[in-house]
Amino acid sequence: MKKVLVVDDEAAIVTLLKYNLEKAGYQVETAMDGAVALKKGVTGTFDFILLDLMLPQMDGLEVTRRLRQEKIKTPIMILTAKGEEYDKVIGLELGADDYLTKPFSPREVLARIKAIGRRTDEANHGREKNAQSDDEDERFNFDDIAVDLTNYMVEKNEKKIKLTPKEFELLAYFIKRQHRVLSREKLLNGVWGYDYVGQTRMVDMHVSHLREKIEKDPKNPKYIETVRGFGYRFEGGENKNF
C-alpha cells in the first residue's frame, strides 16, 4: 500500500483528500502546518507528498527547499491558489514535481498521483537497466554542453550545472529526440506523464528555466529552438564522445 502525506491548513481540504485517497487504496498521514510537515517528511517514508503553499509555521516553498536539501526525493505536488504564478515557478525550481491550482477535484488529484507514480517507477526501472548494461551510451557532448544521463550530470564549459529533477528529465527527453519537433502536449505527456489540457504553460516555464542554464544567450537559443505554432526542437548538432 502506497503512502501519501497530505499537508494543508484547511481541515475541509485535508478531510476531502484523506477520504478519497484512502478510498483509492492509499495509506494517508496528514499535517496542518509546515513545521510538522517537514518533520514527517524527513523522518517518515512516503511515496508522495501533497503540499499546500500557504501554511502556518513554515510555508510550502520552505518545506520543499528543506526536504530537497535533506536529499528527500519523494515526489511533491504543490497546491496553489489562482494567481500564485510566481510561487508555482519557485516551487518547481526548488524541486517540486508538479502543481495543482485550487479548486481541484479529488479525481484530478488521483490521476496526477498515479501518473507521477508511473513516471517514477519507469525512471527507477531505467536506472536499474542502465546500471546492469553498458549497451546504450548515455553520455552526450554538444559543443560546450556535456550531459551524462546515467549519473545525472550536466556540465557547461566543464563546470557543473545544477538542474532541478524536472529540468533534467526534460533535457534528457529532448536529447533522445533531437532534430524532432515536439509539441507542448507531447512534452507534457512524455515528461510529466499525463495529458492535461491547460497545463502546457508548465512546459514553457521549464523550457525557459532550462535555457537560462544551458544556453549562452537564452533569448537566441542554440540548443532548444522554438518552432512557432508547433512546439520545440532540440538541435545539439553532432554528438561527440566524452
Side-chain angles (χ1 to χ4, degrees):
M1 183 181 292
K2 291 193 173 183
K3 192 173 180 181
V4 180
L5 175 61
V6 174
V7 186
D8 200 297
D9 63 340
E10 295 185 48
I13 291 179
V14 172
T15 300
L16 178 67
L17 290 173
K18 187 174 188 295
Y19 171 79
N20 283 277
L21 286 166
E22 289 180 339
K23 187 177 178 181
Y26 293 92
Q27 183 179 350
V28 180
E29 281 197 28
T30 65
M32 297 188 71
D33 69 62
V36 173
L38 178 61
K39 182 177 181 179
K40 288 192 174 185
V42 171
T43 60
T45 301
F46 298 94
D47 297 285
F48 206 88
I49 298 175
L50 289 171
L51 179 64
D52 186 33
L53 283 185
M54 302 302 292
L55 295 168
Q57 304 295 326
M58 182 186 302
D59 66 29
L61 294 178
E62 183 65 13
V63 173
T64 300
R65 186 183 70 81
R66 294 198 188 188
L67 286 175
R68 293 307 186 227
Q69 279 186 336
E70 294 291 332
K71 309 300 181 184
I72 305 298
K73 297 181 179 180
T74 305
I76 297 173
M77 181 161 66
I78 56 177
L79 307 177
T80 73
K82 288 183 178 180
E84 294 178 342
E85 184 75 8
Y86 177 77
D87 287 338
K88 294 173 188 175
V89 173
I90 298 300
L92 295 170
E93 272 289 302
L94 291 173
D97 296 81
D98 198 358
Y99 70 83
L100 192 59
T101 302
K102 297 178 181 180
F104 48 77
S105 70
R107 180 180 297 180
E108 185 177 3
V109 173
L110 288 168
R112 298 284 189 93
I113 289 177
K114 289 178 181 178
I116 293 176
R118 286 194 300 270
R119 176 172 50 76
T120 301
D121 291 342
E122 289 171 1
N124 290 336
H125 177 71
R127 284 193 287 269
E128 291 173 2
K129 185 177 180 180
N130 289 334
Q132 296 170 359
S133 173
D134 294 325
D135 292 339
E136 183 180 358
D137 186 6
E138 294 289 306
R139 298 175 299 172
F140 301 85
N141 195 344
F142 307 105
D143 294 329
D144 58 343
I145 299 295
V147 183
D148 186 342
L149 300 183
T150 303
N151 295 305
Y152 299 90
M153 290 177 57
V154 180
E155 294 183 345
K156 181 178 180 180
N157 294 322
E158 300 184 351
K159 294 182 179 180
K160 289 184 179 180
I161 300 174
K162 186 176 180 180
L163 300 184
T164 67
K166 194 59 61 187
E167 288 168 354
F168 189 90
E169 287 183 49
L170 180 60
L171 178 59
Y173 194 85
F174 271 128
I175 287 175
K176 290 188 174 183
R177 294 160 182 81
Q178 59 180 307
H179 312 309
R180 292 167 52 184
V181 177
L182 302 171
S183 69
R184 290 171 175 81
E185 290 76 15
K186 178 74 173 178
L187 291 165
L188 184 66
N189 185 266
V191 178
W192 280 264
Y194 58 87
D195 189 1
Y196 180 69
V197 177
Q199 291 298 322
T200 52
R201 170 62 179 151
M202 188 186 300
V203 175
D204 294 333
M205 286 193 299
H206 278 77
V207 168
S208 177
H209 296 158
L210 191 53
R211 281 173 170 166
E212 290 288 340
K213 294 179 180 181
I214 71 171
E215 300 280 3
K216 183 176 181 180
D217 182 1
K219 293 184 178 179
N220 296 287
K222 172 183 179 181
Y223 297 111
I224 305 176
E225 299 179 352
T226 298
V227 182
R228 195 171 299 278
F230 292 95
Y232 299 99
R233 176 175 56 211
F234 185 85
E235 291 291 352
E238 183 180 356
N239 178 38
K240 308 170 186 177
N241 294 328
F242 270 31

